Amino acid sequence: METMKPPMEVLYAKQLNALRSHDTGAKPPNWLMSPRAVRDFILGTDEPLSYEGESIPITKKFYGDDVLIERAIVTLAGNRGLMLVGEPGTAKTMLSELLSAAISGTSTNTIQGTAGTTEDMIKYSWNYAMLLDKGPSLQALVPSPLYTGMSKGIITRFEEITRCPFEVQDVLISILSDKVMNIPELSDGTLFAKPGFNIIATANLRDKGVNEMSSALKRRFNFETIAPINHVKMEAQIIESQAKVILEQSGVHIEIDRDVVEILATTFMELRTGETKEGYKIDSPQSVMSTAEAVSVYVQSAMTSHYYDGRPISMDRLVQNMLGAVVKENQKDANILKTYFTKVVKERAKEEGLWGTYYNEKKWIK
């Protein structure tokens, strides 16, 4: 069955199968792969692996701090939860999906944190028709992703945990400490977590309206901060690989223009850091100039050019879509982008061909 966004265990099924077939390392209880194989799945290998007569390349899926990946994997093998924090668009969710897919074989056992998340969404709820008919029973109980994770011994992902009210967050304290969930409605109402259970939570450092976690809950997690990409070539590589996958899933089979990708990556990097590659200071917009936003800009621009112009990605479409990404928080950010073109892009346009074409599209920035 085709899906718009296949889970990681489906998208990378061949790589996972190849790694498991070659995995000889020690596995923590109920893990499908050893920590070394999990690391190789996320960071890639130099040589492809043979599986069922095919040579399967194990691609790099996360770009950043490789040692952070090792620490995250070891955390999940222990008794503490893993908390991934960072700026929006730094691939926290993607990393949690990759870890869950490799360790437990599923990345869809997920709680989505919102301001409306309640305790029963985290622990369990009831089928009220059965509850009224036969009273409290396991048959009437509706398991939550957390309940499922504990009963099966698999990873539970908790997205945007700080979006939840703090009293709801604190439901996790005793579960992370004792690996036990009490169900007082049942006579034998104690659920003991099976080996392999753990929680991967994510938190956004810049989101408005978040709820501070209690110190007691923080102590039950190991925190790993995922920093934004700080290298243009690496960011360009991410944009190229992710844009290719998204476009193919959308039925748009076109070549990725690496020159356009590098200009896009350079623009986002410089606006995000407030410094050009020549060392000049510039203003940064309030909007989050993340790698994920850059991928979205490239995909939208390529699709617009493909469907409306019948041609590969063009600079006018790139600037049009970039404007929508930059001017989100404050209309004044349009002036920051215009100044960037007037001072930085204009100077580069004197010597470098594609930068000149890029500069000529400044007319779209109103």
Side-chain angles (χ1 to χ4, degrees), residues 98-158:
L98 291 168
L99 288 165
S100 300
I103 292 169
S104 300
T106 178
S107 60
T108 58
N109 189 46
T110 307
I111 301 166
Q112 179 60 57
T114 69
T117 301
T118 59
E119 183 175 333
D120 59 355
M121 294 178 184
I122 294 178
K123 296 175 69 178
Y124 59 89
S125 57
W126 297 98
N127 180 324
Y128 286 102
M130 294 183 67
L131 186 65
L132 291 171
D133 183 38
K134 297 182 179 180
S137 65
L138 283 176
Q139 291 72 30
L141 186 144
V142 179
S144 70
L146 185 63
Y147 186 104
T148 300
M150 295 178 68
S151 61
K152 293 184 177 180
I154 61 175
I155 300 292
T156 298
R157 296 175 47 236
F158 201 137

Side-chain angles (χ1 to χ4, degrees), residues 241-259:
S241 62
Q242 293 192 3
K244 183 178 180 180
V245 171
I246 295 171
L247 287 169
E248 287 180 351
Q249 290 174 349
S250 302
V252 180
H253 303 286
I254 57 176
E255 291 292 325
I256 303 294
D257 190 322
R258 292 182 176 177
D259 294 331

Side-chain angles (χ1 to χ4, degrees), residues 88-101:
T90 49
K92 300 183 296 296
T93 294
M94 184 188 75
L95 178 56
S96 72
E97 290 174 336
L98 291 168
L99 288 165
S100 300

Side-chain angles (χ1 to χ4, degrees), residues 206 208 284-289 326 329-330 332-333 336:
R206 284 187 53 171
K208 296 177 181 177
S284 294
Q286 292 183 25
S287 296
V288 178
M289 303 299 293
V326 174
E329 302 289 337
N330 194 323
K332 293 180 181 178
D333 286 345
I336 291 176

Side-chain angles (χ1 to χ4, degrees), residues 219-365:
R219 289 195 300 271
R220 273 103 179 143
F221 281 102
N222 279 347
F223 279 66
E224 293 291 349
T225 301
I226 302 180
I229 301 298
N230 60 0
H231 193 281
V232 169
K233 293 291 184 183
M234 186 181 293
E235 185 155 13
Q237 193 173 356
I238 297 171
I239 295 171
E240 180 180 349
S241 62
Q242 293 192 3
K244 183 178 180 180
V245 171
I246 295 171
L247 287 169
E248 287 180 351
Q249 290 174 349
S250 302
V252 180
H253 303 286
I254 57 176
E255 291 292 325
I256 303 294
D257 190 322
R258 292 182 176 177
D259 294 331
V260 174
V261 167
E262 185 155 347
I263 286 179
L264 178 62
T266 301
T267 299
F268 266 67
M269 177 77 70
E270 292 178 336
L271 287 173
R272 180 169 64 240
T273 60
E275 184 176 347
T276 69
K277 62 183 180 182
E278 294 85 4
Y280 301 123
K281 298 294 183 181
I282 58 174
D283 290 332
S284 294
Q286 292 183 25
S287 296
V288 178
M289 303 299 293
S290 66
T291 305
E293 284 284 357
V295 171
S296 177
V297 168
Y298 188 92
V299 169
Q300 293 294 324
S301 304
M303 292 179 72
T304 306
S305 297
H306 175 75
Y307 286 122
Y308 293 117
D309 306 329
R311 58 177 178 172
I313 190 169
S314 58
M315 282 300 184
D316 59 336
R317 297 301 190 184
L318 188 75
V319 175
Q320 290 166 14
N321 285 284
M322 186 181 296
L323 186 62
V326 174
V327 186
K328 286 184 178 180
E329 302 289 337
N330 194 323
Q331 188 60 36
K332 293 180 181 178
D333 286 345
N335 293 328
I336 291 176
L337 184 60
K338 186 181 292 185
T339 301
Y340 176 79
F341 269 76
T342 302
K343 293 184 176 180
V344 180
V345 179
K346 183 179 180 180
E347 191 64 29
R348 292 173 187 165
K350 296 177 182 178
E351 300 178 3
E352 303 176 52
L354 197 57
W355 282 94
T357 307
Y358 189 40
Y359 175 72
N360 290 337
E361 303 305 330
K362 182 172 72 75
K363 61 190 178 189
W364 297 106
I365 308 173

